[in-house]
């Protein structure tokens, strides 16, 4: 497989900075608030952020910068204020750009499987002994990449791609990097939370795998505009992009059904720019993909955050399991010792309007007719921007992405068993609302196994029907195994890793303990499955 | 006007295609022909196309009325769609998907498609805009609905309606088609509410017709219209509509016109049912479609799925599909439990 991609030279990097500044300024010129208000608002937000910044040396340096800008802006005419705004934009752009270097990318992607394999060897001597006659074990056994892999490989040759994975864990970034490497795809650039770069384990991979820095603590609208413009311009230049359109890890465990549209919309923006400039390969393709775990590293912290009733959930969590090296190693150990699979499932490629794209890169409507997608942006025969129209087009794309996520979610035994147990609890405690049920467990601490087995069979039959209709996917733990084995599989996963055990079998009864964890894993099942 | 929008030159005439030569399709074409647009109307049969082009009449749907000579008819969809700026679809809901599929064979992504059909697809519960989305590549889709009795429009009376779309361009361009004339087109973004209003009112019109046929007066009709509006709004909101849409032309506006007028086909069906005719006989006796008959079944089934109770819908359904006589049905309706008015309608 040849790697079509561009090497990011220093000259390119400077060009990107200057163009992003230029476009950002043009965008601010259109803002009805006016340059002066944008400038002072940005300074206000930044000063607020910096007052809470833990790194005081860094904060002092930046505060000096903003104080200087502010004092000059107060005395400046509009033209000078615009220059000051350009300085702020330059500051933002340079931070965002990161240090992507293709040589480091290639080294890091080769390192990922080696590092994970090493962890496997270090922690699971039995597995080494078993596999010695066959050589070293292979991460490919543990991470299953399926779905439209060939289509993804094809469209990266035909245009610029935007890969949009679901997001449940901070390990997702590494796994996606592994997936891209495994499929022989060209380098991707992507935005990673600035907080992740402080994580020693993950930070190395972020810098090397093409991550640009996204500081989610920056609230100023200007910063978000610069971020979007940077991402969009990189797409125009032909750099493949990757980001998590849910914005953050799913706290509830649910597959994303509400997406951040700003970055997604930059694909369309880049496409229109490309057509207007007569670019040879103007097309932008969008590829949703789901990442599916039997066990989620940060599940306990995430669901607890979701359920917090007092105040807003923490949007940025900086002290969860993914920041504790021992926790990560325990997690990996658990996964490998259970032979647990991580499924990465790639959906059919889409165009920037949400239509399916075939293997030749042609857009197809629901009746499989070829669509001339350029026509969507034509006004009297010329490609034009129209912000309201384009926002609606992006909504269409977002709907298609969410449908793909739902369809390509891979359901495992932990999800099924969690749903069965919670359904039983709800039915047997009709007077309790969900939160009280989760906290108290109702009036029965356990349930008869016989009944659970029957319910597992019934629910599995519904899931199989939906899988046959192509509406969801079932992993190997739900296929070709009997009910008892399925339950044992799920219980083995719940045991030992999480702080509190979710379920435990004692004799002929099943005891429920950490019901919040059950809710987390149950939530993975898409809503339409719930309704059926 | 949003940033970077290209403004259309006001003097440039627009290419408009109306798909459907029925009662309302002909009426809309007539209004459009009063402006300086190039209006074509697609009809199913060559005979009907020839009649419109040669005689300027459409005797089947508007007997004795002379149509504008500017109105051109065709039965060739493939030749008519390319180059058309706006396509207006006005065929019965039963045939909508089939026609939408044909339109989809020729449509391109920069074309606008707006429908004027008031119905819900049986079995799937899909609205017409959803069918257009499924059967064509079009994204710029809209729906027009309001108090638009075709015969009054053909008689030259002023009228108005709502055009709803997620796209400002669709609203703007469709309004431009009718601006300055006797048809006032207001804009809105609530496509769901507009379509539900247009479809649901036909059920209430059936009920109003039954009441009129039984000899009841304005008190009864007013009760049916007001409570019918409440059911319409509850149903619409359950499906994602904006409740305020039902206070406008696509809701109460259309409801009043359709329930009060003997010109409404659905009202006429209701009257005839009250007078003892069977539904089969009524259907056989007329070419004109009363959408309320199929919409009643669709709404009834969907309401059951959503666990919603609509006393008037259930009454009409019982008359149409369960063999209950109108007098028995009206007694059941009046005996149904009463609660607090507006208690279940959340704003």
């Amino acid at each position: 497989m040849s790697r079509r991609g561009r090497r990011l030279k220093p000259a390119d990097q400077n060009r990107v900075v200057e163009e992003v500044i230029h476009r950002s300024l043009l965008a601010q010129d259109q803002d009805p608030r006016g340059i002066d208000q944008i400038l002072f608002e940005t300074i206000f937000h930044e000063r607020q952020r910096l007052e809470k910044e833990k790194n005081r040396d860094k904060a002092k340096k930046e505060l000096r910068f903003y104080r200087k800008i502010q004092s000059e802006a107060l005395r400046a005419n509009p033209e000078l204020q615009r220059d000051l705004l350009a300085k702020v934009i330059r500051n933002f752009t340079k931070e965002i750009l990161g240090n992507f270097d293709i040589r480091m990318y290639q080294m890091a992607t080769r390192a990922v499987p080696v590092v994970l394999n090493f962890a496997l060897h270090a922690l699971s001597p039995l597995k080494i002994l078993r596999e010695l006659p066959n050589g070293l074990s292979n991460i490919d056994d543990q991470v299953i990449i399926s779905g439209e892999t060939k289509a993804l490989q094809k469209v990266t040759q035909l245009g610029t791609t935007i890969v949009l994975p679901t997001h449940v864990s901070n390990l997702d970034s590494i796994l996606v990097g592994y997936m891209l490497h495994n499929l022989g795809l060209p380098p991707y650039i992507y935005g990673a939370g600035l907080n992740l770069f402080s994580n020693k384990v993950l930070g190395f991979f972020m810098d090397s795998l093409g991550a640009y820095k996204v500081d989610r603590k920056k609230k100023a609208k200007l910063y978000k505009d610069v971020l979007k413009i940077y991402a969009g311009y990189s797409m125009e230049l032909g750099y493949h992009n990757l980001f998590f359109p849910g914005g953050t890890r799913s706290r509830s465990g649910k597959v994303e059904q509400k997406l951040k549209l700003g970055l997604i919309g930059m694909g369309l923006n880049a496409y229109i720019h490309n057509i207007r400039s007569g670019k040879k390969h103007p097309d932008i393709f969008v590829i949703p993909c789901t990442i599916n775990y039997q066990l989620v590293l940060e599940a306990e912290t995430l669901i607890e955050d979701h359920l917090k009733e007092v105040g807003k959930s923490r949007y940025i969590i900086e002290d969860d399991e993914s920041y504790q090296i021992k926790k990560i190693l325990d997690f990996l150990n658990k996964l490998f010792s259970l032979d647990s699979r991580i499924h990465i499932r790639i959906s059919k490629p889409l165009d920037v309007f949400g239509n399916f794209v075939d293997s030749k890169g042609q857009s197809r409507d629901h009746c499989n007719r070829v669509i001339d997608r350029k026509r969507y942006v034509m006004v009297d025969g010329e490609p034009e921007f129209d912000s309201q129209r384009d926002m609606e087009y992006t909504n269409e794309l977002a709907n298609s992405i969410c449908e793909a996520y739902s369809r390509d979610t891979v359901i495992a035994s932990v999800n099924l068993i969690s749903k069965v147990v919670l359904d039983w609890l709800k039915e047997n405690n009709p007077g309790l609302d969900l939160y009280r049920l989760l906290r108290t467990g109702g009036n029965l601490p356990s349930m008869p196994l016989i009944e659970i087995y029957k319910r597992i069979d019934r629910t599995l039959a519904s899931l199989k029907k939906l899988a046959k209709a192509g509406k969801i996917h079932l992993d190997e733990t739900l296929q070709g195994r009997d009910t008892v084995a399925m339950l044992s599989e799920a219980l083995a996963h719940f045991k030992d890793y999480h702080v509190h055990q979710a379920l435990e079998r004692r004799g002929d009864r099943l005891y429920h303990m950490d019901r919040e964890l059950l809710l987390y894993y149950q939530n993975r099942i898409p809503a339409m499955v719930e309704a059926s | 006007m949003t940033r970077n929008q290209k403004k259309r030159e006001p003097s440039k005439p627009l290419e408009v295609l109306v798909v459907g030569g029925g009662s309302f399709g002909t009426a809309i074409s007539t209004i459009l022909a009063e402006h300086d647009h190039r209006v074509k109307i697609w009809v199913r049969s060559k005979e009907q196309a020839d009649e419109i082009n040669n005689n300027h009449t459409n005797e089947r749907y508007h007997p004795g009325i002379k149509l504008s000579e500017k109105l051109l008819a065709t039965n060739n969809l493939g030749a008519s769609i390319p180059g058309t700026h706006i396509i207006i679809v006005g065929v019965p809901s039963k045939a909508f998907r089939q026609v939408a599929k044909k339109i989809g064979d020729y449509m391109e992504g920069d074309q606008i498609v707006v429908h004027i059909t008031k119905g819900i697809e049986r079995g799937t519960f899909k609205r017409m805009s959803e069918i257009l989305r499924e059967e064509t590549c079009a994204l710029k889709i809209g729906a027009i609905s309001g108090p638009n009795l075709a015969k009054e429009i053909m008689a030259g009376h002023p009228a108005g309606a709502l055009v709803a779309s997620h796209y400002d361009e669709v609203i703007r361009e469709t309004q431009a088609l009718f601006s300055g004339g006797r048809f006032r087109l207001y804009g809105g973004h609530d496509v769901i509410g507009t379509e539900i209003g247009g479809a649901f009112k036909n059920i209430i019109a059936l009920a109003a017709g039954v009441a009129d046929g039984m000899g009841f007066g304005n008190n009864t009709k007013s009760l049916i219209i007001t409570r019918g509006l409440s059911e319409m709004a509850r149903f619409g909101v359950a499906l994602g509509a904006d409740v305020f849409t039902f206070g406008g032309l696509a809701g109460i506006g259309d409801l009043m016109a359709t329930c009060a007028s003997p010109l409404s086909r659905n009202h006429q069906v209701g009257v005839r049912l009250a007078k003892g005719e069977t539904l089969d006989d009524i259907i056989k006796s007329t070419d004109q479609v009363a959408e309320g008959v199929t919409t009643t079944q669709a709404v009834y089934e969907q309401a059951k799925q959503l666990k919603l109770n609509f006393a008037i819908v259930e009454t009409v359904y019982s008359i149409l599909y369960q063999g209950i006589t109108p007098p028995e049905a009206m007694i059941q309706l009046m005996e149904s439990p009463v609660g607090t008015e507006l208690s279940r309608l959340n704003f």
Side-chain angles (χ1 to χ4, degrees):
Chain A
M1 163 62 61
S2 66
R3 283 173 180 261
R4 177 177 169 273
R6 292 176 51 144
R7 292 177 176 272
L8 186 59
K9 301 173 189 121
D12 262 356
Q13 210 160 22
N14 290 336
R15 186 157 59 101
V16 168
V17 170
E18 295 310 318
E19 185 64 23
V20 169
I21 294 170
H22 171 68
R23 289 192 186 190
S24 301
L25 279 171
L26 283 180
Q28 304 319 307
D29 287 339
Q30 305 287 329
D31 192 321
R33 290 178 297 161
I35 294 285
D36 57 342
Q37 195 177 339
I38 295 167
L39 184 57
F40 288 119
E41 258 184 36
T42 305
I43 294 168
F44 169 75
H45 283 296
E46 282 295 278
R47 288 183 69 168
Q48 272 209 315
R49 174 184 70 83
L50 289 163
E51 267 149 34
K52 297 177 206 157
E53 171 60 54
K54 287 178 194 160
N55 183 338
R56 292 316 303 161
D57 288 335
K58 185 171 180 264
K60 274 180 194 159
K61 192 176 167 197
E62 287 193 59
L63 275 166
R64 263 198 306 273
F65 169 77
Y66 284 110
R67 278 192 203 112
K68 189 167 186 291
I69 296 276
Q70 184 170 2
S71 95
E72 285 180 36
L74 284 166
R75 294 187 296 265
N77 59 28
E79 202 181 309
L80 195 52
Q81 283 179 335
R82 197 173 186 273
D83 290 342
L84 292 168
L85 191 68
K87 280 189 180 163
V88 174
I89 294 171
R90 185 178 295 276
N91 205 32
F92 285 157
T93 308
K94 287 195 157 165
E95 183 193 78
I96 289 165
L97 210 60
N99 296 307
F100 178 63
D101 181 327
I102 193 165
R103 293 162 299 176
M104 286 303 293
Y105 172 84
Q106 286 168 337
M107 270 172 53
T109 47
R110 278 198 289 274
V112 165
V114 169
V115 166
L116 285 176
N117 267 320
F118 187 76
L120 171 70
H121 300 154
L123 301 168
S124 185
L126 282 174
K127 206 166 158 92
I128 298 169
L129 286 171
R130 264 205 310 272
E131 304 237 8
L132 266 174
N134 301 323
L136 294 171
S137 58
N138 197 333
I139 197 77
D140 289 345
D141 292 337
Q142 228 66 42
V143 180
I144 313 293
I145 304 167
S146 64
E148 302 288 333
T149 53
K150 287 200 172 5
L152 171 54
Q153 287 164 332
K154 186 72 190 168
V155 292
T156 52
Q157 301 288 320
L158 298 172
T160 307
T161 54
I162 310 172
V163 168
L164 301 175
T166 54
H167 196 20
V168 293
S169 170
N170 280 334
L171 292 181
D172 291 344
S173 305
I174 301 176
L175 284 167
V176 174
Y178 168 75
M179 173 195 82
L180 299 173
H181 168 80
N182 191 278
L183 295 177
L185 294 174
Y188 275 68
I189 64 170
Y190 67 107
L194 193 61
N195 54 298
L196 292 174
F197 288 80
S198 64
N199 181 317
K200 290 190 175 74
V201 175
L202 299 170
F204 167 70
F205 290 101
M206 297 300 174
D207 255 331
S208 310
L209 290 171
Y212 57 88
K213 297 178 174 73
V214 177
D215 186 353
R216 285 179 291 176
K217 286 180 184 164
K218 287 187 170 68
K219 300 293 176 210
K221 185 181 173 293
L222 176 68
Y223 177 76
K224 291 173 191 174
D225 288 345
V226 172
L227 207 52
K228 283 190 303 198
I229 287 169
Y230 168 67
Y233 187 55
S234 71
M235 293 171 200
E236 272 175 64
L237 293 177
Y239 291 102
H240 301 287
N241 260 247
L242 159 71
F243 54 89
F244 297 107
T248 184
R249 290 169 294 173
S250 167
R251 299 293 191 264
S252 64
K254 284 185 183 177
V255 176
E256 288 85 328
Q257 287 299 302
K258 222 175 164 193
L259 308 179
K260 302 273 179 207
L261 299 180
L263 270 180
I264 295 174
M266 294 317 290
L268 172 58
N269 192 273
Y271 178 63
I272 299 173
H273 272 293
N274 285 348
I275 299 175
R276 283 165 69 95
S277 62
K279 199 173 163 205
K280 196 179 168 199
H281 297 287
D283 296 309
I284 312 281
F285 301 112
V286 175
I287 296 92
C289 76
T290 62
I291 306 175
N292 306 272
Y293 300 81
Q294 270 268 48
L295 209 59
V296 175
L297 172 65
E298 307 99 308
E300 278 156 308
T301 304
L302 292 170
I303 191 65
E304 191 192 328
D305 205 66
H306 172 68
L307 291 170
K308 264 195 174 72
E309 284 172 289
V310 179
K312 277 189 171 180
S313 299
R314 292 177 294 163
Y315 188 68
I316 301 161
I317 303 175
E318 290 179 323
D319 56 1
D320 61 44
E321 294 87 337
S322 69
Y323 288 80
Q324 303 161 43
I325 295 173
K326 182 176 183 312
K327 265 289 185 185
I328 297 174
L329 292 177
D330 284 346
F331 173 75
L332 292 172
N333 180 28
K334 184 74 182 176
L335 274 189
F336 297 142
S337 67
L338 286 172
D339 213 20
S340 187
R341 304 285 193 269
I342 299 170
H343 283 270
I344 302 177
R345 190 158 176 91
I346 296 165
S347 302
K348 265 189 189 175
L350 304 167
D351 64 20
V352 289
F353 308 98
N355 301 304
F356 287 125
V357 169
D358 66 20
S359 57
K360 293 181 187 160
Q362 292 175 309
S363 294
R364 299 230 170 221
D365 67 14
H366 293 290
C367 298
N368 207 33
R369 292 179 287 243
V370 174
I371 305 168
D372 180 1
R373 53 180 168 255
K374 275 200 303 290
R375 297 286 294 262
Y376 285 124
V377 298
M378 296 297 188
V379 178
D380 292 335
E382 294 295 321
E384 295 285 349
F385 292 97
D386 179 328
S387 49
Q388 200 276 337
R389 177 203 68 191
D390 296 346
M391 183 183 70
E392 289 302 325
Y393 282 164
T394 302
N395 278 331
E396 296 277 353
L397 173 60
N399 289 340
S400 296
I401 294 166
C402 290
E403 282 169 10
Y405 282 164
S406 193
R407 203 168 45 235
D408 283 315
T409 294
V410 180
I411 296 175
S413 59
V414 287
N415 309 116
L416 167 62
I417 303 307
S418 298
K419 175 175 165 53
V420 163
V421 170
L422 276 176
D423 283 350
W424 184 92
L425 279 169
K426 283 177 206 166
E427 284 167 33
N428 285 277
N429 295 281
L432 290 182
D433 65 46
L434 177 67
Y435 295 102
R436 283 183 65 194
L437 183 62
L438 294 177
R439 294 253 181 273
T440 66
N443 53 11
L444 294 166
S446 67
M447 54 210 86
L449 272 174
I450 288 181
E451 193 176 333
I452 294 299
Y453 288 141
K454 282 188 197 149
R455 285 167 176 259
I456 291 172
D457 286 338
R458 218 166 43 226
T459 309
L460 184 58
S462 301
L463 291 178
K464 281 184 173 169
K465 219 170 149 182
L466 287 164
K468 204 173 170 191
K471 291 187 178 174
I472 42 157
H473 293 274
L474 305 180
D475 84 350
E476 57 286 333
T477 61
L478 294 181
Q479 298 181 58
R481 288 188 200 193
D482 66 30
T483 313
V484 173
M486 240 176 258
L487 179 61
S488 299
E489 167 92 33
L491 291 176
H493 275 80
F494 281 133
K495 201 176 169 194
D496 297 335
Y497 170 66
H498 289 304
V499 173
H500 303 110
Q501 201 167 327
L503 291 172
E504 189 183 11
R505 178 168 47 204
R506 295 177 209 161
D508 63 351
R509 296 192 75 85
L510 189 65
Y511 284 77
H512 52 89
M513 281 102 77
D514 192 338
R515 290 161 293 279
E516 291 180 3
L517 260 184
L518 293 177
L519 179 68
Y520 180 85
Y521 285 108
Q522 179 223 241
N523 278 346
R524 198 71 187 158
I525 299 178
M528 51 87 173
V529 175
E530 288 273 320
S532 67
Chain B
M1 180 82 60
T2 55
R3 186 161 56 91
N4 290 327
Q5 270 172 16
K6 203 169 177 182
K7 211 172 166 186
R8 180 168 298 286
E9 297 159 34
S11 57
K12 195 175 169 188
L14 296 168
E15 302 276 346
V16 187
L17 174 69
V18 177
V19 176
S23 183
F24 193 32
T26 308
I28 285 289
S29 306
T30 299
I31 298 174
L32 289 168
E34 290 166 6
H35 297 256
D36 282 327
H37 307 308
R38 289 196 270 267
V39 186
K40 262 195 199 155
I41 180 168
W42 175 86
V43 295
R44 215 178 268 280
S45 74
K46 191 174 178 304
E47 291 71 31
Q48 194 183 6
D50 289 342
E51 184 200 338
I52 293 171
N53 288 332
N54 299 331
N55 306 342
H56 308 295
T57 59
N58 189 353
E59 285 295 312
R60 186 174 169 192
Y61 294 101
H62 295 288
I65 295 183
K66 210 72 176 166
L67 303 178
S68 167
E69 290 181 12
K70 285 159 63 182
L71 189 57
L72 290 173
T74 176
N75 71 327
N76 186 340
L77 209 51
S80 316
I81 288 178
T84 300
H85 182 57
I86 299 183
I87 299 161
I88 299 179
V89 185
V91 298
S93 62
K94 267 201 300 201
F96 199 93
R97 188 175 285 277
Q98 187 193 43
V99 171
K101 208 179 200 97
K102 281 202 180 103
I103 292 171
D105 287 339
Y106 305 105
M107 267 201 80
E108 296 285 356
D110 54 342
Q111 291 174 298
I112 290 169
V113 60
V114 174
H115 79 82
I116 54 174
T117 299
K118 295 170 180 177
I120 295 174
E121 189 178 50
R122 268 175 70 177
T124 65
F125 307 139
K126 299 274 175 149
R127 293 172 281 106
M128 301 302 111
S129 64
E130 292 177 301
I131 296 174
L132 285 169
R133 185 67 187 91
E134 287 174 8
E135 299 296 342
T136 75
C137 70
L139 294 177
K140 293 188 286 192
I141 295 170
I144 293 178
S145 190
N148 304 143
L149 295 160
K151 292 207 178 337
E152 290 186 9
I153 290 176
M154 292 303 288
H157 300 179
L162 173 66
V163 56
S165 174
H166 298 299
Y167 295 82
D168 286 350
E169 181 186 343
V170 172
I171 296 169
R172 202 174 55 243
E173 296 293 309
T174 315
Q175 285 178 315
L177 283 183
F178 295 92
S179 75
R182 62 181 171 97
F183 193 77
R184 289 177 66 80
L185 201 55
Y186 292 82
H189 290 110
D190 182 15
V191 177
I192 297 175
T194 303
E195 291 182 299
I196 293 298
F200 203 102
K201 60 101 186 193
N202 286 327
I203 305 173
I204 310 306
L206 279 164
V210 167
D212 280 349
M214 289 177 67
F216 296 137
N218 290 323
N219 288 347
T220 315
K221 198 183 301 189
S222 180
L223 175 66
I224 287 170
I225 291 173
T226 309
R227 295 309 302 160
L229 179 64
S230 174
E231 291 185 10
M232 178 197 290
R234 275 195 293 125
F235 184 62
V237 165
L239 297 176
D242 179 354
V243 71
F244 289 106
T245 301
F246 302 105
L249 286 165
I252 186 63
D254 200 0
L255 193 57
M256 277 201 297
T258 313
C259 293
S261 172
L263 294 176
S264 156
R265 274 164 285 169
N266 292 280
H267 184 274
Q268 287 166 10
V269 169
V271 169
R272 292 171 71 176
L273 286 167
K275 291 195 185 309
E277 290 185 66
T278 65
L279 183 61
D280 283 339
D281 288 339
I282 296 169
I283 290 171
K284 280 177 198 156
S285 70
T286 175
D287 284 340
Q288 307 260 2
V289 170
E291 288 278 2
V293 174
T294 45
T295 305
T296 301
Q297 183 162 29
V299 170
Y300 179 83
E301 286 167 5
Q302 198 171 11
K304 288 273 170 277
Q305 277 194 13
L306 295 170
K307 297 186 174 55
L308 296 168
N309 297 318
F310 297 133
I312 297 175
V313 173
E314 285 162 23
T315 300
V316 175
Y317 182 83
S318 71
I319 296 170
L320 293 175
Y321 296 105
Q322 291 176 329
I324 307 291
T325 66
E328 284 169 344
M330 287 302 275
I331 291 170
Q332 280 174 17
L333 178 63
M334 295 307 288
E335 285 178 351
S336 60
V338 285
T340 310
E341 199 184 21
L342 304 179
S343 64
R344 281 172 294 173
L345 195 60
N346 294 318
F347 291 92

